Amino acid sequence: MLIEKFMTRYLRYQNRNYLTFNEVAPKEMPRGHEDREYLLYVHIPFCEELCPYCSFNRYKFQENRAARYFKALRREIELYGERGFKCTGVYVGGGTPTVMPDELAATLNLIRDTFPVREISVETNPNHLTDAIVGTLLEAGVNRLSVGVQSFDDELLKAMERYHKYGSGAAIEASLKRYTGQFDTLNVDMIFNFPLQSLASLQRDLEIIKAIPADQVTFYPLMVSTATEKIISKTLGKVDYTREKLYYQEIFSRLKSDYRPGSAWCFSRQAAMIDEYIVDYDEYLGVGSGSFSYLGGRIMANTFAVEEYCAKLEADRSAIAFSKDFSMLEQMRYDFMIKLFGTSIDMAAIRRRYGQLFTEALWKELLLFKGLKALEMDGDRLRLTEKGYYYWVIMMREFFIGVNNFRDICRSQVKNQPDGE
Ligand SMILES: C[S@@+](CC[C@H](N)C(=O)[O-])C[C@H]1O[C@@H](n2cnc3c(N)ncnc32)[C@H](O)[C@@H]1O
Ligand code: SF4
């Protein structure tokens, strides 16, 4: 437990500098390299209900505002198409991307006309699992649908303020059974270590997942920004990281027989299933308000203000508002964290990219995790061991808490947002 506590403290401290962005004056939009493939991340920041634990860029859904937003989004996609990007993977996240299914379909059609797309993944909520919406998504070429469930426990769903809008655990389970098999992958998003969640409740959730059976399940540890942690501790209870390991071990051991991990927290029934895009692509291009891009060692974020975002694109201008150049050491650390989160690093690919610098610069990390028996060599691949998986849950949890803190700062600066939080 001591190592886990130390890792949490150290990473929280380290991420304070790692994730400090500079505000940038609007610059020219980046250009793509002819010989590279990119992931396109598309952000839809609207939800019918706002969950108290969530720090993503999201606002209460309003039809007129969202319709204007989708139009601006399509303009941004066209502008990047003209700038030579070759996006082969598409991930549409939110918010709730399916709040306006026809607008989403028009956007996906434009994306497929603009880029040589191989795979499209879309996030949704359980109340959008209807024949009409599923039909629209399939027709628009969606291969992977990711449904946010969080838990099948009605008491937890009520505490998360999702029950009244997204339905009871039993109703969600029935919908998932009905639509499993219609997409290449139907993923179920769950959260563990929620303050009111007992081990017995988590065990029931795991049995339901296996009984559906879900193609794929992503079990996120609860990751709340510092500000959100304070808010939810007053209403839902204190976040207790000391039981996180036990809960994770329960998930890992119960899923082990039927599922294989594609990342430290995403488990698939079959090896070929699409899971964590961020792991498969070295670079990604973000479009939409509050989206992130990682291109050529530079991390950038679009403005979090929907009005400002729309106005920028309506004038054919870049919506990038923040950026940070990673040093070579930061790029290597980022690769080390992300690739191992995807369970292994191809050391030959790393040598092609960084030469010997990678092992020379990261010798302390390599020594530490090998010493902890978290990593092992398997031919030319450096792999997580079973023990290593939980260390990477901590690593990514702290990374995303850092990202959530940054989002909170950006969102608190958003002014004049009708219905904005
Ligand atoms: C950002 S949501 C977008 C899709 C959809 N609106 C939903 O609620 O599922 C995607 C997933 O992120 C996860 N998530 C959101 N807030 C989280 C938090 N504070 N900690 C861990 N996971 C979280 C949830 O599992 C959620 O399903
Ligand atoms: S968890 Fe999903 S539905 Fe809830 S506020 Fe966040 S993005 Fe919206």
Side-chain angles (χ1 to χ4, degrees):
M1 212 59 227
L2 215 63
I3 295 163
E4 287 86 357
K5 261 193 186 156
F6 171 76
M7 269 183 77
T8 298
R9 289 236 174 106
Y10 174 73
L11 290 164
R12 218 160 267 203
Y13 168 77
Q14 196 196 39
N15 288 346
R16 223 178 285 165
N17 296 327
Y18 196 49
L19 295 166
T20 312
F21 288 73
N22 304 312
E23 281 195 44
V24 288
K27 289 212 179 97
E28 230 204 292
M29 292 166 91
R31 290 185 180 277
H33 278 269
E34 245 173 54
D35 51 350
R36 289 192 202 159
E37 291 189 5
Y38 299 89
L39 162 73
L40 180 69
Y41 174 78
V42 184
H43 193 73
I44 312 296
F46 304 105
C47 295
E48 290 154 330
E49 206 63 41
L50 300 181
C51 310
Y53 54 83
C54 175
S55 293
F56 284 81
N57 193 32
R58 83 281 196 261
Y59 302 99
K60 188 102 176 152
F61 173 62
Q62 277 182 316
E63 196 168 330
N64 289 345
R65 225 169 142 222
R68 181 181 172 209
Y69 179 83
F70 271 105
K71 223 170 146 199
L73 183 64
R74 289 196 285 271
R75 187 65 197 130
E76 194 180 22
I77 291 162
E78 281 171 348
L79 290 173
Y80 278 120
E82 290 162 13
R83 279 165 173 70
F85 279 93
K86 191 168 128 194
C87 300
T88 50
V90 179
Y91 191 100
V92 192
T96 308
T98 47
V99 277
M100 293 184 89
D102 292 340
E103 291 285 351
L104 175 64
T107 308
L108 291 177
N109 290 340
L110 171 70
I111 291 173
R112 285 195 286 116
D113 288 345
T114 310
F115 304 113
V117 175
R118 282 198 299 264
E119 287 157 354
I120 301 178
S121 183
V122 170
E123 290 180 345
T124 193
N125 267 322
N127 62 326
H128 290 178
L129 285 177
T130 63
D131 287 352
I133 295 180
V134 165
T136 304
L137 295 176
L138 287 169
E139 209 173 302
V142 174
N143 310 88
R144 177 181 180 269
L145 187 66
S146 176
V147 187
V149 173
Q150 327 312 347
S151 171
F152 293 97
D153 184 325
D154 287 346
E155 290 317 305
L156 275 179
L157 290 172
K158 284 176 193 162
M160 292 180 193
E161 295 175 29
R162 290 180 67 96
Y163 180 90
H164 61 293
K165 185 74 209 174
Y166 303 126
S168 68
I172 297 171
E173 183 187 343
S175 292
L176 290 170
K177 278 190 177 142
R178 181 173 157 84
Y179 292 103
T180 293
Q182 302 213 11
F183 294 87
D184 293 345
T185 307
L186 191 79
N187 172 77
V188 177
D189 273 350
M190 304 287 283
I191 294 182
F192 73 97
N193 199 27
F194 201 77
L196 301 169
Q197 185 181 39
S198 66
L199 189 60
S201 167
L202 174 65
Q203 286 164 344
R204 282 194 298 275
D205 280 351
L206 284 158
E207 290 317 306
I208 295 172
I209 291 286
K210 291 204 291 186
I212 290 175
D215 293 334
Q216 186 179 72
V217 56
T218 307
F219 264 100
Y220 295 103
L222 182 66
M223 300 178 280
V224 279
S225 62
T226 316
T228 312
E229 187 165 348
K230 279 190 194 136
I231 295 168
I232 71 166
S233 71
K234 285 189 196 133
T235 50
L236 305 167
K238 211 171 150 21
V239 184
D240 178 3
Y241 293 111
T242 60
R243 48 177 215 169
E244 189 188 63
K245 186 177 185 179
L246 173 73
Y247 281 31
Y248 182 73
Q249 283 169 340
E250 193 65 25
I251 294 164
F252 202 94
S253 64
R254 288 201 180 221
L255 291 180
K256 210 170 159 183
S257 52
D258 305 354
Y259 292 79
R260 57 122 217 142
S263 79
W265 56 50
C266 181
F267 302 83
S268 302
R269 278 170 67 78
Q270 286 160 36
M273 281 176 173
I274 312 160
D275 36 50
E276 301 278 355
Y277 283 86
I278 195 171
V279 172
D280 296 335
Y281 286 82
D282 289 332
E283 298 190 284
Y284 46 89
L285 172 68
V287 290
S289 167
S291 65
F292 289 86
S293 301
Y294 184 55
L295 301 167
R298 175 177 294 169
I299 192 142
M300 289 164 280
N302 272 356
T303 172
F304 283 66
V306 168
E307 303 297 316
E308 188 188 338
Y309 172 80
C310 291
K312 287 257 163 78
L313 270 308
E314 282 158 5
D316 280 356
R317 285 167 54 203
S318 165
I320 296 169
F322 306 93
S323 109
K324 178 184 163 117
D325 286 323
F326 276 179
S327 67
M328 190 56 85
L329 181 63
E330 285 171 325
Q331 287 180 46
M332 289 188 289
R333 282 212 177 116
Y334 181 79
D335 274 357
F336 177 71
M337 176 181 73
I338 296 286
K339 300 282 174 206
L340 278 168
F341 173 59
T343 77
S344 72
I345 301 186
D346 177 356
M347 291 308 283
I350 287 286
R351 278 195 299 276
R352 279 197 298 279
R353 188 157 181 185
Y354 300 112
Q356 288 308 318
L357 205 61
F358 187 85
T359 40
E360 281 168 22
L362 299 189
W363 69 271
K364 276 191 227 151
E365 286 86 343
L366 290 164
L367 196 71
L368 172 74
F369 287 112
K370 279 185 183 164
L372 288 170
K373 304 219 177 321
L375 300 177
E376 65 189 6
M377 284 308 295
D378 173 9
D380 216 4
R381 291 196 91 89
L382 181 65
R383 277 192 197 286
L384 286 186
T385 61
E386 203 165 312
K387 195 175 169 208
Y389 278 93
Y390 181 62
Y391 292 132
W392 255 259
V393 170
I394 301 177
M395 198 106 97
M396 293 304 287
R397 181 239 284 156
E398 287 309 312
F399 176 72
F400 283 120
I401 287 176
V403 175
N404 283 344
N405 282 335
F406 170 70
R407 285 193 184 111
D408 274 5
I409 295 168
C410 296
R411 286 164 50 77
S412 70
Q413 290 169 355
V414 172
K415 295 195 181 79
N416 307 323
Q417 291 279 318
D419 284 331
E421 255 202 337

